[in-house]
Amino acid sequence: MFFLVQATDYHRHRNLLDRMYRLRKRVFHDELEWDVPVIGEFERDSYDDLSPAYLLWTDEERTTVYGSLRLLPTTGPTLLNDVFRRTYPKDLDLCHPTIWEGTRMCIDADEIAQDMPEIDPQQAMCMMLLALAECGLDNGIHTLISNYEPHMKRIYKRAGAPLTEVGKADGYGRRPVCCGLFEVSRRTIAQMREKMELSGLYVRDGAKRPTGAANAAWMSGGAGDQRSSWINAA
């Protein structure tokens, strides 16, 4: 299931959030060797202290985290403006209550391969994007903005997501860092669902899905052998 954890519900999902921080450490610090803050087994930075919302992908029992993403409003501190300001034009104002930043998007490819072998890593990232769009629409967000490495553009394309790249810059690592805007609308979501042949993924308030064959279609996909984690840049 895909659901949103906001600050008021941190205490209810502490175990899942701890698993998320461990996943982030494995992906961003251990595998990608990024210069990110690490506290023991956790990857956490100062933006995690700002009461962000987290989109989590878990099993129905909420014991396994398959993927996660952090959401922050652009009206406050963001990686976009504090770290990656050179990735978009100086005359472009991206601070607005309905524009939110998505960062630290990652999946646990090993857990997905074990529990859902029909889903390859690229499809898993596409599913994260669809759930993100559905979550954004449900919470009054009309634009999502993200910094990402160039390879992520093919994920957006596969997902049918309308990505508008507004700039990019070198000097942040081995690859350029791009800045893109992702429209959140009913039209966007319908387009993505059609492209991926999926129905709704996001579940408001983390309510459990009914079980049974009628709900099997939400997780269609092709088999894949790749076992790497897919991430966005920030």
Side-chain angles (χ1 to χ4, degrees):
M1 74 168 64
F2 295 80
F3 66 100
L4 193 68
V5 176
Q6 302 194 59
T8 53
D9 291 324
Y10 284 178
H11 65 286
R12 294 175 51 205
H13 303 291
R14 178 51 55 193
N15 182 54
L16 290 176
L17 294 178
D18 287 350
R19 289 175 183 270
M20 176 194 70
Y21 294 130
R22 291 189 185 98
L23 172 62
R24 282 172 33 176
K25 177 183 178 294
R26 293 200 308 273
V27 172
F28 297 109
H29 180 268
D30 299 348
E31 297 178 17
L32 297 174
E33 299 181 346
W34 285 7
D35 182 18
V36 291
V38 170
I39 305 171
E41 297 181 339
F42 295 168
E43 186 275 301
R44 278 183 55 97
D45 63 18
S46 60
Y47 299 93
D48 292 300
D49 297 326
L50 300 177
S51 301
Y54 298 101
L55 178 65
L56 299 184
W57 178 8
T58 75
D59 60 343
E60 292 292 322
E61 287 69 38
R62 301 178 187 169
T63 59
T64 302
V65 173
Y66 298 119
S68 66
L69 177 141
R70 180 175 65 193
L71 283 165
L72 278 168
T74 55
T75 51
T78 58
L79 275 169
L80 171 73
N81 289 315
D82 298 341
V83 178
F84 296 109
R85 182 62 187 84
R86 291 190 294 109
T87 63
Y88 68 95
K90 292 182 179 179
D91 59 351
L92 184 60
D93 183 7
L94 295 177
C95 296
H96 192 276
T98 60
I99 302 176
W100 283 55
E101 175 188 69
T103 59
R104 293 298 198 268
M105 183 164 68
C106 60
I107 61 167
D108 191 327
D110 291 333
E111 289 286 358
I112 292 171
Q114 177 177 302
D115 295 348
M116 296 168 285
E118 71 278 11
I119 298 175
D120 65 49
Q122 285 198 20
Q123 185 182 9
M125 288 297 286
C126 291
M127 292 169 66
M128 285 289 297
L129 288 174
L130 174 56
L132 175 60
E134 294 172 343
C135 172
L137 186 66
D138 192 59
N139 287 277
I141 297 171
H142 73 55
T143 302
L144 288 159
I145 189 164
S146 180
N147 290 111
Y148 52 87
E149 293 181 344
H151 75 268
M152 276 297 296
K153 286 186 278 190
R154 66 176 179 263
I155 305 297
Y156 280 91
K157 183 176 181 180
R158 177 171 172 175
L163 179 69
T164 301
E165 189 169 298
V166 294
K168 65 180 178 180
D170 294 309
Y172 292 104
R174 291 173 293 179
R175 304 179 184 88
V177 173
C178 308
C179 179
L181 305 178
F182 174 25
E183 174 191 322
V184 176
S185 65
R186 296 187 185 277
R187 179 186 61 183
T188 293
I189 292 170
Q191 177 179 308
M192 295 175 71
R193 288 174 176 172
E194 181 178 3
K195 183 72 178 287
M196 289 188 276
E197 299 181 347
L198 295 175
S199 57
L201 300 181
Y202 173 70
V203 181
R204 183 183 297 178
D205 299 327
K208 287 193 174 183
R209 293 178 176 275
T211 58
N215 294 282
W218 79 277
M219 199 175 283
S220 62
D225 296 322
Q226 190 172 359
R227 292 293 180 269
S228 62
S229 295
W230 288 77
I231 48 85
N232 72 336

